[in-house]
Amino acid sequence: MQNNDGKLKVGLAQLAPVWLDKKGTLEKIVQVIHEAGKKGIELLVFGEGLVPGYPLWTGLTDATIFDSPMQKELHAHYAANAVVIEKGDLNEVCSVLKDYGMGAYLGVIERPLDRGGHSLYASLVFIDKHGIVQSVHRKLRPTYDERLTWSPGDGHGLQVHSMKEFTVGGLNCWENWMPLVRSSLYAQGENLHVAVWPGSDHNTRDITRFIARESRSYVVSVSSLMRKEDFPETTPHLSRILEKAPQMLTNGGSCVAGPDGEWILEPQVGQEELFSVEVDFNRVLEERQNFDPSGHYSRPDVTRLIVNRERQSVVRFEESGEEGLKKNF
């Protein structure tokens, strides 16, 4: 007989951002947290880089032109609306999550002070049910034109977290295709994998089921939505961006697969909505009977993985004496 600790209610927030507007997008996220709280959701997941949105202009406006005044202006606008966690940008989100005793994975564009405070990273933030930021995973390798505006991250955020009986971990977009990165989470006992995307179902449809079959874990893929009408009128160079923009830039595709790789929630396309599913930990134990990638179906005497989880920095200050003790408390 199982108790309710073996079941977890997961919410998938498939939203369009208030594009390149940090304040407006965070307000929208808080509203969704309230909605999720009323539905009894325990883990709420948002898409990649939702705050303040995906850099869609790079693929629509010849962003590779070096020293372009337009590209500089768009990038500066993006950076000005990026999330600085150290300055409290996520404080209200954390507070509302705490009120509901809800954990969350939130995709943000981060402008971290520990890397100088100017460069941008696609980061996946885990906030626990007490409203505390427990990990910030900076995307290891931006993809294609993302590299024109995002910086490569590090392994510090390759961490897992306990939620009731579950061990939860997460990756950004095409990181989910990186075998060794996935393996680093499996080895930490992950059995509920969060994959966040900017959209669409062509990204989520195959790999969600593949990771579930490979890991014998639940896989929750959450994407954002972006339509032509979702671009605010205040966006710099809006007319130039819209010239080549299709009506639907990202169509969502949020979905959930079970530990056997079968759909619990098939990819959801075209609408903003808060979806929810209940996952049962006992299903993980059932599927691990025949395959466990870091347990009985591994050979650490033959192959092993080394992961560097040190937070990268260009400087380390070393000071001695009383002054050093004060600064390195």
Side-chain angles (χ1 to χ4, degrees), residues 6 8 161-167 191-192 218 279-281:
L8 186 72
H161 306 281
S162 295
M163 294 204 72
K164 298 173 84 170
E165 290 291 322
F166 286 93
T167 301
N191 47 48
L192 197 165
Y218 287 96
V279 296
D280 184 350
F281 177 71

Side-chain angles (χ1 to χ4, degrees), residues 296-315:
H296 68 78
Y297 227 89
S298 65
R299 284 294 304 274
D301 57 319
V302 179
T303 58
R304 284 188 292 172
L305 175 65
I306 298 172
V307 179
N308 179 4
R309 290 208 306 198
E310 183 178 357
R311 182 60 95 194
Q312 292 179 6
S313 177
V314 297
V315 63

Side-chain angles (χ1 to χ4, degrees), residues 122-141:
S123 296
L124 183 57
V125 180
F126 176 73
I127 304 165
D128 71 12
K129 67 179 182 179
H130 304 294
I132 298 171
V133 174
Q134 291 290 356
S135 66
V136 179
H137 174 53
R138 296 174 188 161
K139 189 174 184 177
L140 294 170
R141 175 58 58 193

Side-chain angles (χ1 to χ4, degrees), residues 112-320:
L113 299 185
D114 66 9
R115 290 304 299 269
H118 303 97
S119 290
L120 306 181
Y121 298 80
S123 296
L124 183 57
V125 180
F126 176 73
I127 304 165
D128 71 12
K129 67 179 182 179
H130 304 294
I132 298 171
V133 174
Q134 291 290 356
S135 66
V136 179
H137 174 53
R138 296 174 188 161
K139 189 174 184 177
L140 294 170
R141 175 58 58 193
T143 303
Y144 285 89
D145 49 0
E146 293 172 358
R147 299 176 193 181
L148 297 170
T149 191
W150 294 349
S151 306
D154 57 36
H156 182 71
L158 293 175
Q159 301 182 38
V160 297
H161 306 281
S162 295
M163 294 204 72
K164 298 173 84 170
E165 290 291 322
F166 286 93
T167 301
V168 187
L171 295 173
N172 297 283
C173 200
W174 273 24
E175 287 184 316
N176 290 287
W177 285 111
M178 299 171 73
L180 299 183
V181 177
R182 292 196 307 271
S183 295
S184 74
L185 299 179
Y186 302 164
Q188 296 175 71
E190 182 192 64
N191 47 48
L192 197 165
H193 180 78
V194 169
V196 299
W197 312 84
S200 299
D201 64 321
H202 66 79
N203 279 320
T204 63
R205 185 171 295 278
D206 295 326
I207 195 167
T208 301
R209 295 185 65 200
F210 166 74
I211 294 176
R213 290 293 296 274
E214 177 184 66
S215 63
R216 305 301 162 110
S217 301
Y218 287 96
V219 178
V220 177
S221 278
V222 180
S223 293
S224 300
L225 200 71
M226 195 70 192
R227 301 148 298 196
K228 215 167 183 178
E229 61 264 29
D230 292 320
F231 289 91
E233 293 292 330
T234 54
T235 304
H237 303 285
L238 179 61
S239 60
R240 178 71 185 280
I241 293 170
L242 294 181
E243 278 178 19
K244 298 180 180 178
Q247 185 60 40
M248 180 76 74
L249 292 94
T250 60
N251 69 8
S254 300
C255 52
V256 181
D260 58 356
E262 298 302 316
W263 289 123
I264 295 173
L265 178 70
E266 292 194 32
Q268 302 296 304
V269 172
Q271 73 270 27
E272 285 192 274
E273 194 167 331
L274 174 62
F275 306 99
S276 66
V277 299
E278 186 177 74
V279 296
D280 184 350
F281 177 71
N282 198 58
R283 290 289 297 117
V284 174
L285 297 180
E286 289 176 353
E287 293 303 321
R288 296 294 176 104
Q289 186 268 339
N290 56 12
F291 188 80
D292 183 355
S294 292
H296 68 78
Y297 227 89
S298 65
R299 284 294 304 274
D301 57 319
V302 179
T303 58
R304 284 188 292 172
L305 175 65
I306 298 172
V307 179
N308 179 4
R309 290 208 306 198
E310 183 178 357
R311 182 60 95 194
Q312 292 179 6
S313 177
V314 297
V315 63
R316 186 177 80 178
F317 295 100
E318 295 183 355
E319 301 182 49
S320 59

